Amino acid sequence: MDAPVWFISLACLGALYVVALCARPLAYLALCLRRSKDLHHYGSWAIVTGPTSGLGRSMAMELARRGLNLVLLDLDAANLQETSQAIEARHAVKIKTVVLDLALVATPQGDEAIRRLREAIAGLDVGLLVNNAAVNTPGAVYLHEADIERFVRMIRVNLWGLTEVTAAVLPRMLARGRGAVVNVGSGSTVAVPSFPLYTVYSSTKKYVARFSRSLYVEYKSKGIDVQYQVPFYVHTRMLSSAVKAKLRPWFVATADEYTRTAARWIGSGPLCVPGAAQKLQWCLTGFVPDWAHDWYRIRLHLQHRAVTRGARRAVIPDGGSSSRGQVIAIGNSSSGGPN
């Protein structure tokens, strides 16, 4: 007896749903089984912004371990020197440093720094740019509570600085017909519909996500791979100790663990969530409806706000004055994810 049409239709829809559900993990498994790209294919030099701590430092170490020479960009000359010496003590690579405060882009000082960057990479076989530098607040805040100048600095670094450095490096890659750009993002841009109390930070990272995807489409045919890498929870200075204490240990990767996997995935598509545990977090969040995400996030981030405000009050000495309403940018490398 032939099955009714409605039954066959529903069976086909169910099969398509199962295929779609399995496509992401199967694609991830296929990429895990293949050999990672030889990054020397792009060039013998890599540029890393924000390389003196967190993910940026670990990424610089990992690229040096893979034999790439480095151009390091940071706003603090002393930190650059310390990082360079630490890398050179472990790896036989060449290192150049450029002091560049990304918060000064589109100003005379920023223009001068970009000019120094172009001079530093002139004649170098630069094949890889890792845009890691970013600033964030030290804790969850309502928009009206924060010093707007802090947000302006965040927008300059996370948006303008990343865009201008990329624009300065791309012409050399285009001239050689090969290169890769890695923009470090945040899990808050792909895993959840909203990120309350971290609103400006997550919004700047949303720009980076769209910027990266569009550049991927623009430059893929020209031999340049552009990738948006999405860390979730990672142990860096941008993930406060108060917040870390509330997280399960298996949800939080170390910076070294993350970058070892992240370097392997460079050049593998426009979007990358490195690491099986972090990929699992991303997949699981897809089963949660938006309203539940919103409900959970605002409550969780209000707890973050209470913890960080309490910690801030605890370090103010008797008779001291607090900078009420201000948030301080900490770190210079993206923590990644919902933090």
Side-chain angles (χ1 to χ4, degrees):
M1 182 177 178
D2 293 338
V5 174
W6 66 265
F7 179 82
I8 295 174
S9 299
L10 287 177
C12 290
L13 287 175
L16 288 173
Y17 177 77
V18 171
V19 169
L21 198 64
C22 295
R24 185 182 290 175
L26 287 175
Y28 177 75
L29 179 61
L31 285 170
C32 286
L33 294 176
R34 71 158 180 78
R35 294 183 62 183
S36 60
K37 270 191 176 180
D38 180 5
L39 298 182
H40 289 86
H41 160 75
Y42 295 118
S44 57
W45 286 81
I47 300 173
V48 182
T49 68
T52 60
S53 65
L55 290 185
R57 186 183 181 97
S58 292
M59 180 59 81
M61 283 285 188
E62 177 62 24
L63 296 178
R65 187 184 71 82
R66 290 169 177 255
L68 291 177
N69 302 312
L70 300 173
V71 180
L72 306 180
L73 276 63
D74 194 75
L75 57 82
D76 190 294
N79 287 343
L80 279 173
Q81 182 179 8
E82 186 276 328
T83 301
S84 299
Q85 292 172 346
I87 295 173
E88 289 171 337
R90 297 176 61 180
H91 306 290
V93 296
K94 300 175 184 177
I95 298 178
K96 286 191 172 188
T97 61
V98 179
V99 177
L100 173 58
D101 185 352
L102 294 178
L104 297 178
V105 295
T107 68
Q109 301 98 309
D111 293 342
E112 171 62 20
I114 292 294
R115 184 190 64 77
R116 292 199 307 272
L117 170 60
R118 290 195 177 99
E119 289 179 351
I121 65 175
L124 300 182
D125 184 25
V126 174
L128 175 61
L129 166 64
V130 179
N131 280 313
N132 164 80
V135 294
N136 191 7
T137 59
V141 292
Y142 285 99
L143 185 64
H144 71 274
E145 293 178 328
D147 181 353
I148 292 301
E149 288 302 316
R150 300 290 182 181
F151 284 149
V152 170
R153 174 179 172 81
M154 183 189 300
I155 291 168
R156 281 181 176 272
V157 173
N158 295 7
L159 274 69
W160 296 5
L162 177 144
T163 303
E164 189 156 347
V165 170
T166 304
V169 174
L170 274 174
R172 299 197 60 80
M173 294 182 178
L174 282 170
R176 292 166 29 251
R178 53 191 167 88
V181 177
V182 174
N183 295 323
V184 180
S186 167
S188 64
T189 62
V190 299
V192 291
S194 65
F195 214 59
L197 304 186
Y198 299 93
T199 302
V200 176
Y201 174 75
S202 62
S203 298
T204 63
K205 289 299 184 178
K206 195 68 174 180
Y207 165 85
V208 178
R210 180 58 59 89
F211 176 75
S212 303
R213 178 72 191 201
S214 297
L215 287 185
Y216 170 81
V217 175
E218 286 181 37
Y219 290 99
K220 181 64 177 176
S221 63
K222 303 180 187 300
I224 299 173
D225 294 321
V226 181
Q227 184 178 78
Y228 180 62
Q229 290 199 349
V230 186
F232 279 63
Y233 291 112
V234 180
H235 278 292
T236 70
R237 290 190 302 174
M238 293 178 77
L239 188 63
S240 70
S241 57
V243 174
K244 290 176 190 176
K246 290 182 173 292
L247 296 173
R248 299 291 185 269
W250 55 83
F251 275 140
V252 186
T254 67
D256 290 342
E257 290 169 347
Y258 175 85
T259 53
R260 276 196 300 271
T261 307
R264 172 184 171 83
W265 285 78
I266 291 174
S268 300
L271 175 65
C272 169
V273 179
Q278 305 227 332
K279 179 79 72 173
L280 178 62
Q281 292 178 56
W282 183 27
C283 290
L284 291 177
T285 57
F287 293 99
V288 181
D290 286 358
W291 66 264
H293 275 301
D294 293 341
W295 178 88
Y296 172 74
R297 280 290 155 194
I298 187 62
R299 282 158 180 76
L300 177 65
H301 294 175
L302 283 171
Q303 293 177 16
H304 292 183
R305 177 175 176 270
V307 169
T308 53
R309 285 167 69 90
R312 216 174 292 153
R313 284 194 297 268
V315 299
I316 298 174
D318 292 340
S321 59
S322 66
S323 52
R324 181 181 177 84
Q326 291 191 352
V327 291
I328 310 302
I330 61 172
N332 59 353
S333 52
S334 175
S335 71
N339 54 2

